[in-house]
Amino acid sequence: MKTLTRMFASKEVKAVLGVLDEADQRFNCPIFERVKKQIEQEVLAHADDVTNLIVKGNSAREIVFTTITDITGDLVESGQFHIYRGVLNPMNGGEDLLRIYDAAVDELLQIGAVTKDHAANCKESLRRNIKNAG
C-alpha cells in the first residue's frame, strides 16, 4: 500500500520523499530509520499540506530538514536516549541523533532557511535541554 501511495503521490510529495531518501543515504545509521519512517508517514498522511507548503514557496529540502530537526530534537530531549542525566547513550543512537540534528541545522543554514545566529541558538538550546534530561 505504501508503495502505491508513493507511486501516485503529487510531484511535490515525491520531491520531499526524494530528499528524505537522500538524507537517509547521507546519515546512514540505524536510528535514522526511525526518523525517516516517522517523516514518511506524516508526509503521506498529510500530502495536501505538503503540496501547499511547496506551492507557497518552501523547498522540499527545507521541509525535510526542518522536520528532521524537530524529530531528532524531541527524541534527544526525551531522556530515552540518555545513559544517565545529561549524557547521551552511544549504544542506542543518542549520539547519532545529536549528530543528525546538528547536520540538519547546518543544512538549513546552508540553504538559507535559518540565520547563523538562529542555528547557533538552536544547537545551544538543545544541548542545554539534554543536560536536564535523562
Side-chain angles (χ1 to χ4, degrees), residues 6-96:
R6 215 173 176 177
M7 187 181 346
F8 293 109
S10 69
K11 67 181 180 187
E12 293 86 1
V13 168
K14 286 180 181 178
V16 168
L17 295 174
V19 173
L20 184 58
D21 288 340
E22 177 189 321
D24 187 25
Q25 294 298 312
R26 176 179 177 178
F27 297 124
N28 192 26
C29 64
I31 196 67
F32 190 75
E33 286 300 315
R34 178 177 176 165
V35 175
K36 180 183 177 186
K37 182 178 179 181
Q38 189 173 344
I39 294 171
E40 190 172 51
Q41 288 172 343
E42 288 298 313
V43 166
L44 294 174
H46 303 285
D48 290 341
D49 294 334
V50 171
T51 299
N52 288 335
L53 283 171
I54 291 178
V55 168
K56 289 179 181 177
N58 295 34
S59 71
R61 183 166 293 286
E62 181 180 354
I63 292 167
V64 169
F65 282 92
T66 298
T67 308
I68 289 170
T69 62
D70 291 344
I71 292 171
T72 56
D74 288 348
L75 289 172
V76 297
E77 290 175 342
S78 71
Q80 69 180 346
F81 293 94
H82 285 68
I83 196 163
Y84 53 87
R85 182 170 298 281
V87 179
L88 293 172
N89 188 345
M91 301 301 287
N92 73 352
E95 290 179 349
D96 284 334

Side-chain angles (χ1 to χ4, degrees), residues 74-122:
D74 288 348
L75 289 172
V76 297
E77 290 175 342
S78 71
Q80 69 180 346
F81 293 94
H82 285 68
I83 196 163
Y84 53 87
R85 182 170 298 281
V87 179
L88 293 172
N89 188 345
M91 301 301 287
N92 73 352
E95 290 179 349
D96 284 334
L97 285 169
L98 183 59
R99 178 183 59 82
I100 292 166
Y101 177 87
D102 286 346
V105 170
D106 291 344
E107 182 70 21
L108 290 170
L109 178 61
Q110 183 178 0
I111 65 173
V114 298
T115 65
K116 187 175 182 179
D117 288 341
H118 182 75
N121 199 18
C122 287

Side-chain angles (χ1 to χ4, degrees), residues 121-134:
N121 199 18
C122 287
K123 289 179 180 183
E124 180 182 316
S125 177
L126 182 67
R127 281 160 174 78
R128 202 172 32 251
N129 291 341
I130 287 170
K131 287 181 182 179
N132 296 320

